[in-house]
Amino acid sequence: MKKAPYKIYLSEEEMPKYWLNIKAFMKEKPDQMLNPATLQPCTAEELEQLFCSELVKQEFNNTDKYIEIPKGILDFYKTYRPAPLIRAHRLEKMLNTPAEIYYKFEGTNTSGSHKLKSAAAQVFYAKEQGITSVTTETGAGQWGTALAMACAYYQIDLNVYMVKVSAEQKPYRKSVIETYGGRVIPSPSDTTEVGRKILAEHPDTGGSLGCAISEAIEAAIKKDNCRYVLGSVLDHVILHQSIIGEETRIACEKYGIKPDIIIGCVGGGSNFGGLIAPFVADKIEGKSDIRIIGVEPASCPSLTRGKYAYDFGDTGKTTPLLRMYTLGSGYIPSPNHAGGLRFHGMSPIVSKLYHDGYIEARAVEQTKVFEAATAFARSEGTLPAPESAHAILGAIEEAVKCRETGEKKTIIFGLTGTGFFDMTAYMSYNSGTMVDHIPTDEELEKGFTELPNVPGK
Amino acid sequence: MKKAPYKIYLSEEEMPKYWLNIKAFMKEKPDQMLNPATLQPCTAEELEQLFCSELVKQEFNNTDKYIEIPKGILDFYKTYRPAPLIRAHRLEKMLNTPAEIYYKFEGTNTSGSHKLKSAAAQVFYAKEQGITSVTTETGAGQWGTALAMACAYYQIDLNVYMVKVSAEQKPYRKSVIETYGGRVIPSPSDTTEVGRKILAEHPDTGGSLGCAISEAIEAAIKKDNCRYVLGSVLDHVILHQSIIGEETRIACEKYGIKPDIIIGCVGGGSNFGGLIAPFVADKIEGKSDIRIIGVEPASCPSLTRGKYAYDFGDTGKTTPLLRMYTLGSGYIPSPNHAGGLRFHGMSPIVSKLYHDGYIEARAVEQTKVFEAATAFARSEGTLPAPESAHAILGAIEEAVKCRETGEKKTIIFGLTGTGFFDMTAYMSYNSGTMVDHIPTDEELEKGFTELPNVPGK
């Protein structure tokens, strides 16, 4: 077997031509999405008012293990992929660990994160269906940026409802989206009924992700030839992200790398679900006993301290009900700089895998996360996004255990993106003013009281 | 011959193991560096007070065509290279041109630019020589960032004198440098005599690159085991950057790509000199008649409107004299968002090549540059640095000519870096408030009056 180079880039021919559908491998499937009004399973017809038909098909597909990627999407992937699998030699040396550490780096594109894979797929299908514009919401801005790039590529209009405080605090993110030709509307806005209602009641509000989702949904439904797109949580998004895992698996097989532990950060679950896809599929089929660890912020601990229950995906309680680990749709996490992980719930697929014991979860404090981020930047060169740094911390903790036990384990973690637009958070860490906040049990209980009552679940 | 993939990544084995020394190919060498006090050629001994011995050797090396890259530097290069050569399929399509356009992308590292190649080399040699710290200045911040990464890798102390207004306007850049462990000192500062003098005279000054250079030099000279490092202009920097060109040449030969035109942006000349190295060497040797074009800002037109004369490298008039195209060391270019191109002079190597007719130059206005940058971002995905966008505009202009003539030329341009930290400039362009400024002949004449008098030149 050939010795692995420092950075493993697959060739275009080696890049996967299919997505891996975890659900088709799962013995028990995640519970069905429910219509909150009827508590009956959502129908394809209902969902197609909101999402493109092909995405709805994918959302309901529990049987096909592999789904071919259309050429029009592969062509886009070729413009910025493959993403490398990199050996963290310097980090290993710094930690003085016998462990081998690798990271799959998804930040080698201007959107700066892994989000582009699903953005491209969703916009491609919209275009194919004759849709002329899409709407979405963005908080941290990585999803909005990725979507703006994809919309520029496929030439489709984009309206991004950006949480007003984020638009104000992150004018650069907003400006990137605009440079790609997307329109950014600070939310709440006067462009939707729900926005106008909130503005009338709370004229000075800085907005929330929940409100931005509600506005983006309303705008999509009311406009002709328009659909709503979402960057995480849903099954079709996890499906598109499975390329992260498939590229990792192919690179490992090519160079004889045998991972013992896979680690990813978890917010809505899209990067994590994608990274682990082929590895958890093997585990379900009894072909491996690999350890799979999701790392989440202690300030928003949906897996480690949430309830496995039906809940809304948004604060405004307008979405279908999803069975997932949740802190309650009314739970407002304290400020955490990893905006992409500040979500009260979790992907139903990831939730079910966790519930069934295939994966582990761990909650970490943000000052430790930034300590890990800084160590990684100084040793490996790349300045990580705060979200990604949760996975770095997880990997460092496992590597340090190896140092103590002398075990030579192989650890792979997902580096989802770069931190170029998160320097305010780094400044807070560098100046020593960053604080941790771990919710009390009482605070969490308050979130749980609002969970919808779904008999039997 | 194999068909080229969308992005050409060389393998580790294919990466160049040597630098190409343009000077050894030149029939007439650039004029020698002079001591401004004596107007005699600088000696190695004089320069070694400021720079590491090995770098001084390289600075004076006019004979070795290829110089082996030490393993300690190659190891660092492997952590973030190779940098891809990418076919701009989408841009070609947008322009409806028969031309084939490729770009060598040097922004695939967190420092975000090509600067890392020389930063690594300079810090490596410092470390080898037992130097424990280095000083430098930074304006736009790309050099400071690259140097901070290299210093973190080789574990050496770094003090960056950052133009005070830049440090204030670009707190994020400052913060990146600090995250890598570098110390940022807004200049003018009270840490040097020259800084204290300027502060006493102009307590409210926002500083200048010239002043920052003077402070960094003084700090290096006065401290034990410390040296000054510079990110552009000098021959040894161009030498280190020759990898850009060598990787490009190797990729072209591998896939049978025959460039007709090479285009780069020019500020101090380091990226441009590196990109063109093997191509201009062939041209000098009569093996090709390739066109080579440097694109500079109309607001700081050293090649197109400067004088070929001896001049200081800094506004403070403390450096050796270099014979180069210059607008005069006192020339203050009007605000241009491409900070990396706001230098009154030009690399002596690039200047001599231009003087001898091997390369062409073109000056462009910044609103057109941002128009090109936006078109490139939307078609190719990558958000370019404003500096790099000068080369994009040059390439677009040539591709449009091909559309008009029907010629199927092959154009390669250098994409030096990403624009993540330049969003203020994009915001100015997006909002329509960006203006162009082209200096009048009278303004330029003022700069020329201060040129030092070197008999016969």
Side-chain angles (χ1 to χ4, degrees):
Chain A
M1 184 127 347
K2 256 181 90 175
K3 189 174 166 284
Y6 206 105
K7 289 183 155 189
I8 306 174
Y9 283 101
L10 298 181
S11 70
E12 276 182 17
E13 296 77 44
E14 290 167 325
M15 279 168 61
K17 311 269 183 306
Y18 50 82
W19 293 302
L20 186 152
N21 185 12
I22 301 180
K23 283 192 294 178
F25 290 85
M26 291 168 77
K27 286 173 191 160
E28 285 182 31
K29 313 299 175 194
D31 286 294
Q32 287 177 291
M33 201 183 273
L34 301 182
N35 179 323
T38 63
L39 296 189
Q40 293 303 306
C42 286
T43 64
E45 210 175 18
E46 283 168 348
L47 282 186
E48 281 176 8
Q49 294 171 30
L50 207 51
F51 299 106
C52 293
S53 313
E54 198 60 37
L55 298 172
V56 173
K57 241 189 248 171
Q58 292 175 354
E59 191 67 24
F60 284 128
N61 189 330
N62 283 350
T63 49
D64 295 325
K65 288 188 171 176
Y66 300 95
I67 294 174
E68 203 183 332
I69 306 173
K71 183 176 175 302
I73 298 174
L74 280 178
D75 283 347
F76 181 77
Y77 287 168
K78 276 186 205 166
T79 67
Y80 79 97
R81 304 193 69 78
L85 179 68
I86 305 172
R87 174 83 180 267
H89 282 291
R90 293 276 305 181
L91 181 65
E92 290 171 13
K93 204 174 153 192
M94 195 195 79
L95 298 172
N96 191 24
T97 176
E100 276 188 19
I101 309 175
Y102 296 83
Y103 55 99
K104 183 75 164 81
F105 183 31
E106 291 292 323
T108 56
N109 65 80
T110 299
S111 87
S113 82
H114 68 288
K115 296 279 187 186
L116 204 46
K117 280 183 297 304
S118 190
Q122 295 190 46
V123 176
F124 170 82
Y125 287 124
K127 183 87 177 180
E128 287 283 290
Q129 196 179 320
I131 300 300
T132 52
S133 67
V134 294
T135 70
T136 198
E137 73 288 330
T138 202
Q142 290 186 330
W143 170 244
T145 306
L147 199 60
M149 274 184 71
C151 285
Y153 184 89
Y154 292 108
Q155 300 190 298
I156 204 168
D157 278 352
L158 168 66
N159 285 318
V160 179
Y161 287 85
M162 188 167 188
V163 180
K164 193 189 272 176
V165 283
S166 296
E168 285 163 4
Q169 287 170 357
K170 296 195 161 191
Y172 292 168
R173 266 286 182 205
K174 177 170 174 283
S175 171
V176 174
I177 296 171
E178 288 169 345
T179 298
Y180 282 110
R183 182 167 167 237
V184 176
I185 304 151
S187 166
S189 74
D190 60 4
T191 66
T192 64
E193 264 178 48
V194 58
R196 285 189 291 272
K197 187 160 169 263
I198 292 170
L199 279 177
E201 286 167 18
H202 310 280
D204 299 324
T205 179
S208 71
L209 201 56
C211 166
I213 295 177
S214 308
E215 285 205 87
I217 289 178
E218 181 187 325
I221 289 175
K222 291 208 172 149
K223 197 172 168 187
D224 282 343
N225 267 327
C226 184
R227 288 294 183 282
Y228 169 71
V229 291
L230 184 68
S232 191
V233 182
L234 295 180
D235 298 359
H236 65 269
V237 183
I238 310 275
L239 177 74
H240 306 149
Q241 296 295 353
S242 67
I243 295 181
I244 309 175
E246 273 300 280
E247 282 189 2
T248 304
R249 182 190 62 76
I250 294 168
C252 284
E253 288 179 3
K254 183 172 177 183
Y255 292 104
I257 300 161
K258 293 188 178 22
D260 299 296
I261 310 174
I262 304 279
I263 299 171
C265 62
V266 273
S270 75
N271 135 72
F272 183 71
L275 171 67
I276 69 173
F279 302 101
V280 82
D282 274 358
K283 193 168 180 174
I284 292 169
E285 293 189 330
K287 294 179 188 165
S288 97
D289 57 354
I290 198 167
R291 282 181 63 204
I292 299 172
I293 307 171
V295 186
E296 63 184 7
S299 61
C300 193
S302 51
L303 281 179
T304 52
R305 297 175 69 195
K307 278 207 162 51
Y308 188 48
Y310 268 107
D311 198 4
F312 293 97
D314 65 332
T315 323
K317 303 190 179 182
T318 62
T319 70
L321 297 177
L322 303 168
R323 188 153 185 224
M324 59 184 177
Y325 279 85
T326 177
L327 299 166
S329 62
Y331 179 76
I332 306 289
S334 74
N336 178 303
H337 289 293
L341 306 182
R342 293 185 74 215
F343 180 61
H344 67 274
M346 177 58 60
S347 137
I349 291 178
V350 172
S351 292
K352 179 67 176 159
L353 290 169
Y354 180 61
H355 193 65
D356 290 350
Y358 292 109
I359 60 181
E360 306 165 39
R362 187 178 298 172
V364 294
E365 294 166 34
Q366 71 169 341
T367 49
K368 290 214 167 58
V369 166
F370 276 85
E371 192 186 338
T374 304
F376 183 80
R378 293 187 186 180
S379 57
E380 291 295 317
T382 294
L383 189 92
E387 291 84 355
S388 321
H390 285 71
I392 296 172
L393 176 56
I396 289 177
E397 287 178 346
E398 291 302 319
V400 166
K401 278 186 212 161
C402 286
R403 181 176 68 206
E404 288 157 7
T405 62
E407 285 174 292
K408 190 176 161 11
K409 289 193 177 156
T410 298
I411 301 166
I412 295 181
F413 71 89
L415 191 73
T416 52
T418 50
F420 297 112
F421 292 99
D422 302 287
M423 293 318 298
T424 308
Y426 276 96
M427 285 163 76
S428 158
Y429 175 73
N430 288 339
S431 65
T433 57
M434 182 177 276
V435 290
D436 292 312
H437 179 80
I438 301 174
T440 61
D441 289 341
E442 290 71 34
E443 283 174 284
L444 292 187
E445 278 307 323
K446 221 191 303 177
F448 296 143
T449 56
E450 285 190 31
L451 286 175
N453 185 15
V454 179
K457 301 286 176 180
Chain B
M1 185 129 345
K2 256 181 89 176
K3 190 174 167 283
Y6 207 106
K7 290 184 153 186
I8 306 175
Y9 283 100
L10 299 180
S11 70
E12 275 181 18
E13 295 78 42
E14 290 167 325
M15 280 169 61
K17 311 268 182 308
Y18 50 82
W19 293 303
L20 185 155
N21 184 13
I22 301 180
K23 283 193 295 178
F25 290 84
M26 291 167 78
K27 286 172 190 159
E28 285 182 31
K29 312 300 175 194
D31 286 296
Q32 287 177 292
M33 201 183 272
L34 302 181
N35 180 321
T38 63
L39 296 190
Q40 293 303 304
C42 287
T43 63
E45 209 175 19
E46 282 169 349
L47 282 187
E48 281 176 7
Q49 293 170 31
L50 206 51
F51 299 106
C52 294
S53 313
E54 198 59 35
L55 297 173
V56 174
K57 240 188 248 172
Q58 292 176 354
E59 191 67 25
F60 285 128
N61 190 329
N62 283 352
T63 50
D64 295 325
K65 288 187 171 176
Y66 299 95
I67 294 175
E68 203 183 332
I69 306 173
K71 184 176 176 302
I73 298 174
L74 280 178
D75 283 346
F76 181 76
Y77 286 167
K78 276 186 207 166
T79 67
Y80 78 98
R81 304 192 69 77
L85 179 69
I86 305 171
R87 174 82 179 268
H89 282 292
R90 292 278 302 183
L91 181 64
E92 290 170 14
K93 205 174 152 193
M94 195 193 78
L95 298 172
N96 190 24
T97 176
E100 277 188 17
I101 309 175
Y102 296 84
Y103 54 98
K104 183 73 163 84
F105 184 30
E106 291 291 325
T108 56
N109 66 78
T110 298
S111 85
S113 83
H114 69 288
K115 295 279 186 187
L116 204 47
K117 280 184 295 305
S118 190
Q122 295 191 46
V123 176
F124 169 83
Y125 287 125
K127 183 87 178 181
E128 286 282 289
Q129 196 179 321
I131 300 299
T132 51
S133 69
V134 294
T135 69
T136 199
E137 73 289 331
T138 202
Q142 290 185 329
W143 170 244
T145 305
L147 199 61
M149 274 183 71
C151 285
Y153 184 88
Y154 292 109
Q155 299 189 301
I156 205 168
D157 278 352
L158 169 65
N159 284 319
V160 179
Y161 287 86
M162 187 167 189
V163 179
K164 194 188 271 176
V165 282
S166 296
E168 284 163 4
Q169 286 171 356
K170 296 195 163 193
Y172 292 169
R173 266 288 183 205
K174 177 170 174 283
S175 171
V176 175
I177 296 172
E178 289 169 345
T179 298
Y180 282 110
R183 183 167 167 237
V184 176
I185 305 150
S187 167
S189 75
D190 60 5
T191 67
T192 64
E193 264 179 46
V194 59
R196 285 189 292 271
K197 188 159 168 268
I198 292 169
L199 280 177
E201 286 168 17
H202 310 280
D204 298 324
T205 178
S208 72
L209 200 56
C211 166
I213 295 177
S214 308
E215 285 206 86
I217 289 178
E218 181 188 325
I221 289 175
K222 291 209 172 145
K223 197 171 168 188
D224 283 344
N225 268 328
C226 183
R227 287 295 182 283
Y228 169 72
V229 290
L230 184 68
S232 191
V233 181
L234 295 180
D235 297 359
H236 65 267
V237 183
I238 310 275
L239 178 74
H240 306 150
Q241 296 295 352
S242 67
I243 297 179
I244 308 174
E246 273 300 281
E247 281 188 3
T248 304
R249 182 190 61 76
I250 294 168
C252 284
E253 288 179 2
K254 183 171 177 184
Y255 292 104
I257 300 161
K258 292 187 178 29
D260 298 297
I261 310 174
I262 305 279
I263 299 171
C265 60
V266 275
S270 75
N271 134 73
F272 184 70
L275 170 68
I276 70 173
F279 302 102
V280 82
D282 274 358
K283 193 167 180 175
I284 292 169
E285 294 190 327
K287 294 180 189 163
S288 96
D289 57 355
I290 196 167
R291 282 182 63 205
I292 300 173
I293 307 170
V295 186
E296 63 184 9
S299 61
C300 194
S302 51
L303 280 180
T304 51
R305 297 176 70 195
K307 278 206 163 52
Y308 188 48
Y310 268 108
D311 198 3
F312 293 96
D314 64 333
T315 323
K317 303 188 178 182
T318 61
T319 69
L321 297 178
L322 303 169
R323 188 151 185 228
M324 58 183 177
Y325 279 85
T326 177
L327 299 166
S329 62
Y331 179 76
I332 306 289
S334 74
N336 178 303
H337 288 294
L341 305 182
R342 294 185 74 215
F343 180 61
H344 67 275
M346 178 57 62
S347 137
I349 291 178
V350 172
S351 292
K352 179 68 176 158
L353 290 170
Y354 179 61
H355 193 65
D356 291 350
Y358 291 109
I359 60 181
E360 306 164 40
R362 187 178 297 172
V364 294
E365 294 167 33
Q366 71 170 341
T367 49
K368 289 214 169 57
V369 166
F370 275 86
E371 192 186 336
T374 304
F376 183 79
R378 293 187 187 180
S379 57
E380 290 296 317
T382 294
L383 189 93
E387 289 85 354
S388 321
H390 286 71
I392 296 172
L393 176 55
I396 289 177
E397 287 177 347
E398 291 301 319
V400 167
K401 278 186 210 160
C402 286
R403 181 177 67 206
E404 289 157 5
T405 63
E407 287 175 290
K408 191 177 159 16
K409 288 191 177 157
T410 297
I411 301 166
I412 296 182
F413 70 89
L415 190 74
T416 52
T418 48
F420 297 113
F421 291 101
D422 301 287
M423 293 317 299
T424 308
Y426 277 94
M427 285 161 76
S428 158
Y429 175 72
N430 289 340
S431 65
T433 57
M434 181 177 277
V435 290
D436 292 313
H437 179 81
I438 301 175
T440 62
D441 289 340
E442 290 69 38
E443 283 174 284
L444 291 187
E445 279 306 322
K446 219 190 308 175
F448 296 143
T449 56
E450 286 191 27
L451 287 175
N453 184 16
V454 179
K457 300 287 177 182

